[in-house]
Amino acid sequence: MKVWIPHQDGQALLGELPPEVTVEVAEDVSRLPSETAGVRFWVPPFLSGGDATALLRELPDLAVVQLLSAGADAWAGRVPSGVTLCDARGVHDPSTAEWVVAAVLSQLRAFPALARAQARREWAYDEVAPTDQLAGKRVLIVGAGSIGTAVRDRLAPFEVSFTLVARTARPEQGVHGVEELPGLLPEADVVVLLVPLTEATRGLVDEGFLAAMRDGALLVNAARGPVARTEALAAELRTGRISAALDVTDPEPLPADHELWTMPNVLLTPHVAGSVRGLLPRAYRLVAEQVRRFAAGEPLINTVVDGY
């Protein structure tokens, strides 16, 4: 059985596989390593969509698509019947949680303003001090999956309190349902978005959501850009009433002339939360496990159902 992976280094990282497995590297969907017949297990390039999803029609024997991303929004609903779609749940927990912590601390401690002052060679103490602080803040995590749990665990030592929200409430775990957001948002100092992009979450952050946030609150989007309505977000940020840290935008990449780039209350990074040097070893441990499970006829993990 043929397995296609997108990284040359992945071959060594996969370790020992069953003898019937042949691994080939398909780094670019426009330059395939062999005939498409016989490809049973495909790992598309990281954060791919568009051209990559079009290749699905050319893989007649495909049985499994294993993504390297935690989100499956570019693939859900596009995978043919009979093909199992799996995401990389768990692979990006450390890196994305680190980005959230870094982004929250950077905004609260005014690092973006200080970096701009450094570029001007200005000693900006009087401009920014005293800064805000993380200690004592109330953090609302919208998306109580594995990344949300990782964020909570990493923020816990900073003396903050937490409220977690999921698609459905889990009272036994202290997790609220998404329908409770209107009552929870006014109490939160920091709102972290970690939900997958589905039809239910697209545009979740709209005018009403933003209006419910308390004055001075920080919105952190480490989910997907379309979870927030860009026009509504920009309008609210324009008032200066809240601030934001965004690793994702809609559209993406963000056009160079978009106002979000220059807003002083916005920290913007180019979808880098999961792009760290430790990604490939973690990702290919998951891929190897999935290939072994598939070859042995065992159930796969991280299967995507209804976009989740």
Side-chain angles (χ1 to χ4, degrees):
M1 114 182 156
K2 284 201 294 189
V3 174
W4 278 0
I5 63 172
H7 301 95
Q8 195 70 46
D9 291 345
Q11 291 182 304
L13 292 170
L14 285 171
E16 187 175 350
L17 296 174
E20 68 270 23
V21 174
T22 299
V23 177
E24 297 178 345
V25 178
E27 295 182 85
D28 187 339
V29 296
S30 65
R31 291 181 286 109
L32 303 179
S34 65
E35 296 295 324
T36 56
V39 177
R40 300 284 287 155
F41 193 109
W42 179 33
V43 183
F46 183 45
L47 295 179
S48 59
D51 292 344
T53 58
L55 184 60
L56 289 167
R57 298 188 296 269
E58 303 177 31
L59 298 171
D61 302 314
L62 186 65
V64 179
V65 174
Q66 173 62 60
L67 303 179
L68 297 181
S69 59
D73 48 281
W75 296 82
R78 296 179 175 87
V79 175
S81 175
V83 175
T84 300
L85 177 65
C86 301
D87 63 25
R89 190 177 307 121
V91 167
H92 300 280
D93 294 1
S95 54
T96 303
E98 283 181 2
W99 182 91
V100 170
V101 173
V104 169
L105 286 170
S106 293
Q107 279 292 68
L108 294 180
R109 298 306 304 268
F111 277 19
L114 291 168
R116 291 191 291 270
Q118 179 181 353
R120 299 191 302 267
R121 303 187 185 192
E122 293 179 5
W123 193 261
Y125 182 89
D126 291 337
E127 176 187 339
V128 302
T131 71
D132 204 343
Q133 64 178 4
L134 180 53
K137 289 290 188 285
R138 293 164 292 184
V139 180
L140 175 61
I141 299 176
V142 185
S146 62
I147 297 178
T149 301
V151 169
R152 181 198 61 194
D153 292 347
R154 284 160 177 77
L155 284 176
F158 289 92
E159 302 173 24
V160 302
S161 60
F162 297 99
T163 303
L164 273 67
V165 171
R167 176 173 43 163
T168 55
R170 302 197 293 268
E172 70 284 358
Q173 300 174 21
V175 177
H176 298 260
V178 70
E179 71 279 358
E180 300 177 64
L181 276 174
L184 297 172
L185 285 166
E187 303 301 318
D189 301 300
V190 179
V191 179
V192 182
L193 303 174
L194 292 166
V195 293
L197 178 60
T198 68
E199 287 310 306
T201 62
R202 186 180 296 274
L204 173 69
V205 180
D206 57 10
E207 291 85 353
F209 184 108
L210 295 162
M213 292 178 63
R214 64 187 295 119
D215 289 354
L218 169 63
L219 178 71
V220 181
N221 192 356
R224 287 290 187 269
V227 169
R229 297 189 185 278
T230 303
E231 290 184 7
L233 178 59
E236 192 68 45
L237 289 166
R238 206 179 298 131
T239 70
R241 193 181 69 83
I242 65 171
S243 59
L246 310 173
D247 188 48
V248 290
T249 60
D250 182 26
E252 194 172 295
L254 191 67
D257 60 352
H258 200 283
E259 62 181 317
L260 286 175
W261 284 113
T262 55
M263 287 184 173
N265 52 340
V266 175
L267 170 64
L268 201 156
T269 60
H271 205 151
V272 297
S275 298
V276 296
R277 293 187 180 95
L279 168 61
L280 292 189
R282 286 197 300 271
Y284 279 99
R285 280 196 293 272
L286 171 63
V287 172
E289 179 181 358
Q290 294 283 70
V291 170
R292 294 187 191 103
R293 283 173 174 266
F294 179 67
E298 298 174 355
L300 300 174
I301 61 173
N302 290 8
T303 55
V304 176
V305 178
D306 296 330
Y308 290 85

